[in-house]
């Protein structure tokens, strides 16, 4: 089993940390992981993305062009990565600020309005975990309990008091995600 | 003691491995994409843990000369930088090689020439393996292809540097420096309290003072010293060649790639084999000494060799020298901070060796 995932959005949305928690969580399940960020000017220019690979085998290239799953958090990233999803793959996107929605018919598309929900419920800090909740619902590769273990590993101890809030966000995300189109 | 499992960036792994290897001193200056090495070391409080000194120097030139001083005292000292910063250090590196001192230098390379780009590249191959600074010398060059090797090669680099009294270089790149992978870290080793007998630690009970210098104004003396270096490099070439093979046994075509490119090429081999092309990969782990014997052996039973590097073609020259015209040796690589994709490599194999099919 190998899952090649891209997470892309604005800097500040928690894209890189979502990827890191995903990698930690998979590591808790004894899987091989790699986390490869776009670094430097791309981040400063306002967009951030990270490639996370989770595999039961040794990972060859940490850099790939096509993805099994794309998690997309803004229009720019949707424009850039919709066509990078492998046929039969999964695209998850947040509808916030999206004017041109995904159009492909050969991939499964899910929408999660996590930004709106996080704003409404005062959970903006854990917006990324809401999206993560949606991801583990539709791609159940990582167990919720392992995400929580991953969070514990990746967050500095002074933030451990926020873990219950993260858990709430993960569960809310699982409820929130909707099918748009399934192949 | 068991090794500790962590998820770390390549840069962080170098830093933590350095503390755990009992390194005495790190001297550096920030530059993307390797700044996490210095940042991690500053935050990890190595002085409290082992007494290791970590210092942000006023410049790269200062940093390498601090390494020169520390190495002259027989200490385990290191520095790190990225391509433009490594260029600045070359004078000091030449002096250290000329003074026959051990030290570790880490280059988390980026695209060039000049300030170039901060994205990953492998365009510093010539600089790393053919000297880099002035004069006749070689570094021992290790090329990690994973975060695990970033950690492991710190210890290996120092081991070889002290064994041969020669600077060792870890030639990495921005991709391996910035990415996170699982890494098993060795338990903490104490810093050594003993110094080698050549170290300048004061005359003490010695009959003569130890002198560290790279200067000999007598041409005969200097030439003799050059011969001594040549012998040392020959010894290193005899003992320290390291490489990894991936599906080479039945390969009809061979990729040669190191570091990040080798990771990409592993996937290319898988893709090619799914399409019935018998592709193999030889990954040099040491770039000096270069696995030229092994490449020559394999070249006698393959139809073509493709050297894949994120450069305009540097290592390909060493592959050509090893193959000596027996089979075609071609180069493929992206530049400017662009990482070659696995599919592109397979495409090139088809175009160059299989008439495009």
């Amino acid at each position: 089993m190998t899952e090649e995932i891209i997470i892309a959005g604005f800097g500040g949305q928690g894209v890189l940390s979502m990827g890191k928690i995903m990698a930690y969580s998979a590591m808790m399940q004894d899987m091989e992981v790699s986390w490869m960020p776009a670094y430097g000017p791309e981040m400063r220019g306002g967009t951030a993305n990270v490639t996370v690979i989770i595999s039961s085998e040794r990972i060859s290239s940490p850099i790939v062009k096509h993805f099994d799953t794309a998690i997309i958090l803004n229009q720019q990233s949707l424009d850039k990565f919709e066509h990078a999803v492998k046929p039969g793959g999964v695209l998850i996107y947040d509808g916030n600020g999206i004017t041109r929605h995904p159009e492909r018919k050969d991939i499964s598309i899910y929408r999660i309005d996590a930004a709106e929900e996080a704003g409404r419920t005062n959970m903006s800090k854990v917006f990324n975990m809401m999206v993560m909740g949606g991801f583990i619902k539709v791609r159940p590769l990582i167990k919720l309990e392992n995400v929580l273990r991953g969070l514990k590993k990746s967050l500095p101890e002074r933030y451990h008091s926020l873990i219950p809030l993260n858990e709430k966000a993960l569960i809310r995300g699982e409820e929130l995600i909707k099918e748009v189109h399934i192949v | 003691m068991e090794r500790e499992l962590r998820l770390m960036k390549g840069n962080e792994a170098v830093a933590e491995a350095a503390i755990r290897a009992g390194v005495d001193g790190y001297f550096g200056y920030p530059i993307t994409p390797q700044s996490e090495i210095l940042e991690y070391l500053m935050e990890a409080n190595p002085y409290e843990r082992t007494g290791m000194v970590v210092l942000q120097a006023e410049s790269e030139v200062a940093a390498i000369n601090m390494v020169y001083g520390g190495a002259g005292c027989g200490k385990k000292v290191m520095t790190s930088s990225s391509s433009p910063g490594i260029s600045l250090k070359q004078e000091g590196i030449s002096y250290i090689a000329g003074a026959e001192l051990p030290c570790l230098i880490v280059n988390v390379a980026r695209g060039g020439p000049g300030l170039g780009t901060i994205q990953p590249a492998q365009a510093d191959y010539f600089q790393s393996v053919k000297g880099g600074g002035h004069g006749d010398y070689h570094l021992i060059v290790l090329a990690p292809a994973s975060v695990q090797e970033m950690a492991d090669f710190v210890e290996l680099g120092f081991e070889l540097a002290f064994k041969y009294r020669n600077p060792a270089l870890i030639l990495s790149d921005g991709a391996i420096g910035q990415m996170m992978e699982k890494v098993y870290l060795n338990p903490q080793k104490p810093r050594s309290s003993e110094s080698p007998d050549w170290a300048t630690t004061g005359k003490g009970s010695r009959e003569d003072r130890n002198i560290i210098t790279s200067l000999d104004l007598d041409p005969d003396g200097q030439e003799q010293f050059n011969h001594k270096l040549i012998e040392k490099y020959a010894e290193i070439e005899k003992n320290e060649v390291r490489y990894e093979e991936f599906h080479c046994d039945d390969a009809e075509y061979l990729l040669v790639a190191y570091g990040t490119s080798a990771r990409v090429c592993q996937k290319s081999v898988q893709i090619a084999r799914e399409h019935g092309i018998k592709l193999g990969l030889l990954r040099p782990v040491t770039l000096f000494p270069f696995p030229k014997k092994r490449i020559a052996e394999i070249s006698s039973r393959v139809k073509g060799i493709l050297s894949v590097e994120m450069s305009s073609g540097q290592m390909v020259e060493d592959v050509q020298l090893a193959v000596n015209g027996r089979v075609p040796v071609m180069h493929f690589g992206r530049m400017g901070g662009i990482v070659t994709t696995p599919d592109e490599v397979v495409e090139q194999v088809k175009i160059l060796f299989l008439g495009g099919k």
Side-chain angles (χ1 to χ4, degrees):
Chain A
M1 191 291 292
T2 298
E3 178 89 351
E4 294 166 336
I5 303 156
I6 179 103
I7 311 170
F10 286 121
Q13 279 181 313
V15 164
L16 298 186
S17 62
M18 194 200 315
K20 191 171 160 185
I21 291 158
M22 201 181 274
Y24 262 117
S25 312
M27 201 171 104
M28 296 293 130
Q29 294 180 194
D30 284 330
M31 293 163 104
E32 297 301 319
V33 295
S34 74
W35 176 95
M36 180 76 229
Y39 65 90
E42 283 195 79
M43 266 163 70
R44 282 178 215 138
T47 65
N49 73 67
V50 60
T51 301
V52 177
I53 303 179
I54 301 172
S55 181
S56 48
E57 290 146 49
R58 182 176 156 185
I59 294 166
S60 54
S61 177
I63 293 150
V64 287
K65 267 267 170 77
H66 306 285
F67 305 93
D68 300 295
T69 298
I71 300 173
I72 303 294
L73 304 178
N74 66 6
Q75 184 71 59
Q76 266 169 300
S77 305
L78 183 60
D79 296 343
K80 192 168 170 188
F81 293 112
E82 180 179 354
H83 292 281
V85 180
K86 295 177 195 170
V90 170
L91 188 152
I92 298 168
Y93 77 107
D94 189 307
N96 187 42
I98 299 293
T99 50
R100 192 200 62 77
H101 290 261
E103 287 157 356
R104 278 179 64 179
K105 295 284 168 249
D106 62 335
I107 57 173
S108 294
I109 297 170
Y110 297 88
R111 175 170 168 167
I112 179 164
D113 286 336
E116 192 192 293
E117 175 73 4
R120 199 177 59 76
T121 55
N122 220 356
M123 288 170 83
S124 298
K125 256 190 200 161
V126 287
F127 154 74
N128 62 348
M129 283 302 99
M130 221 176 255
V131 178
M132 178 89 158
F135 167 73
I136 61 172
K137 174 78 186 296
V138 300
R139 295 293 294 158
L141 306 161
I142 309 168
K143 290 194 186 123
L144 179 67
E145 66 199 61
N146 287 323
V147 179
L148 295 172
R149 285 171 70 200
L151 269 166
K152 231 175 226 166
K153 268 270 190 188
S154 74
L155 285 177
E157 216 152 291
R158 62 182 183 277
Y159 293 127
H160 279 192
S161 58
L162 291 175
I163 288 178
L165 184 65
N166 279 279
E167 185 174 7
K168 207 175 134 191
L170 284 158
I171 292 166
R172 188 72 193 104
E174 287 184 319
E175 300 162 356
L176 213 57
I177 194 158
K178 290 184 307 222
E179 296 173 10
V180 176
H181 169 82
I182 304 288
V183 290
Chain B
M1 249 178 90
E2 238 182 76
R3 305 220 291 173
E4 187 192 342
L5 174 64
R6 298 265 284 270
L7 180 72
M8 291 181 119
K9 284 188 172 195
N11 287 337
E12 295 167 341
V14 165
E16 180 60 31
I19 301 171
R20 290 180 184 228
V23 170
D24 295 298
Y26 169 95
F27 310 93
Y29 189 80
I31 180 172
T32 307
Q34 67 81 53
S35 294
E36 290 87 355
I37 298 178
L38 180 55
E39 284 166 10
Y40 185 99
L41 283 170
M42 286 288 180
E43 222 172 276
N45 243 337
Y47 191 76
E48 306 278 303
R49 282 168 63 181
T50 66
M52 175 185 179
V53 171
V54 176
L55 193 95
Q56 178 174 335
E58 67 270 35
S59 70
E60 285 87 349
V61 177
I64 193 67
N65 283 293
M66 288 172 185
V67 168
Y68 190 7
C73 300
K75 295 292 179 191
K76 263 175 135 173
V77 286
M78 65 182 287
T79 186
S80 69
S81 191
S82 179
S83 309
I86 295 289
S87 291
L88 285 166
K89 290 182 206 274
Q90 289 301 340
E91 182 200 41
I93 295 171
S94 169
Y95 277 55
I96 295 169
E100 290 203 271
L101 293 177
C103 71
L104 180 67
I105 304 143
V106 182
N107 182 2
V108 184
R110 55 192 247 182
L115 275 180
T117 168
I118 60 172
Q119 302 300 323
Q122 297 181 312
D124 298 353
Y125 178 88
F126 282 151
Q127 185 198 52
S128 307
V129 307
K130 309 285 181 191
H134 60 279
D136 269 332
Y137 75 93
H138 282 290
L139 305 177
I140 298 164
V141 184
L142 304 169
S146 63
V147 173
Q148 183 66 55
E149 286 187 341
M150 285 288 262
D152 293 346
F153 288 0
V154 171
E155 213 159 305
L156 177 62
F158 273 112
E159 185 193 312
L160 297 175
F162 272 83
K163 182 173 173 190
Y164 295 100
R165 282 185 65 181
N166 200 71
L169 175 86
I170 293 179
L171 180 60
S172 175
D173 65 63
I176 292 174
Q178 292 295 325
M179 80 170 169
M180 284 202 282
E181 287 186 314
K182 277 162 60 162
V183 53
Y184 290 91
L185 295 162
N186 283 335
Q188 181 67 53
K189 270 191 187 165
R191 287 192 311 116
S192 168
S193 53
E194 285 162 41
S195 3
D197 54 9
W198 47 259
T200 49
T201 51
K203 185 162 177 276
S205 55
R206 285 186 199 104
E207 238 166 71
D208 294 305
R209 286 184 173 78
N210 282 339
I211 297 173
I212 303 281
T213 179
S214 65
L215 175 73
D216 195 336
L217 292 176
D218 167 29
D220 289 329
Q222 180 63 35
E223 192 187 43
Q224 235 174 28
F225 175 70
N226 286 128
H227 279 299
K228 186 183 164 204
L229 286 184
I230 291 170
E231 276 169 34
K232 177 165 85 175
Y233 302 140
E235 194 66 17
I236 292 171
E237 292 204 82
K238 200 175 87 193
N239 302 333
E240 308 301 344
V241 175
R242 288 166 170 81
Y243 56 86
E244 191 188 16
E245 289 180 22
F246 190 66
H247 290 293
C248 284
D249 291 346
D250 65 340
E252 288 180 6
Y253 299 93
L254 181 72
L255 302 174
V256 181
Y258 68 95
T260 295
S261 292
R263 292 287 292 271
V264 171
C265 285
Q266 259 185 44
K267 184 142 189 165
S268 307
V269 168
Q270 290 164 357
I271 296 170
R273 284 183 175 258
E274 282 163 21
H275 290 88
I277 304 166
K278 284 191 175 166
L279 193 60
L281 165 68
L282 185 135
R283 173 174 81 94
V285 172
T286 49
L287 297 178
F288 183 87
F290 193 68
K292 47 190 178 190
K293 245 197 204 152
R294 186 59 186 153
I295 291 173
E297 281 163 18
I298 297 177
S299 75
S300 64
R301 50 181 167 82
V302 296
K303 296 179 193 160
I305 299 179
L306 182 62
S307 172
V308 181
E309 322 162 50
M310 299 186 299
S311 78
S312 62
Q314 300 189 15
M315 182 181 67
V316 65
E317 292 188 8
D318 284 336
V319 179
Q320 281 164 340
L321 281 171
V323 172
N324 204 10
R326 274 184 291 270
V327 286
V329 176
M330 313 295 274
H331 159 76
F332 175 65
R334 299 294 301 267
M335 291 159 288
I338 297 173
V339 179
T340 316
T341 65
D343 294 311
E344 276 176 337
V345 175
V346 177
E347 204 51 42
Q348 284 300 313
V349 169
K350 288 182 187 167
I351 292 169
L352 294 169
F353 300 123
L354 300 163
K357 281 173 228 157

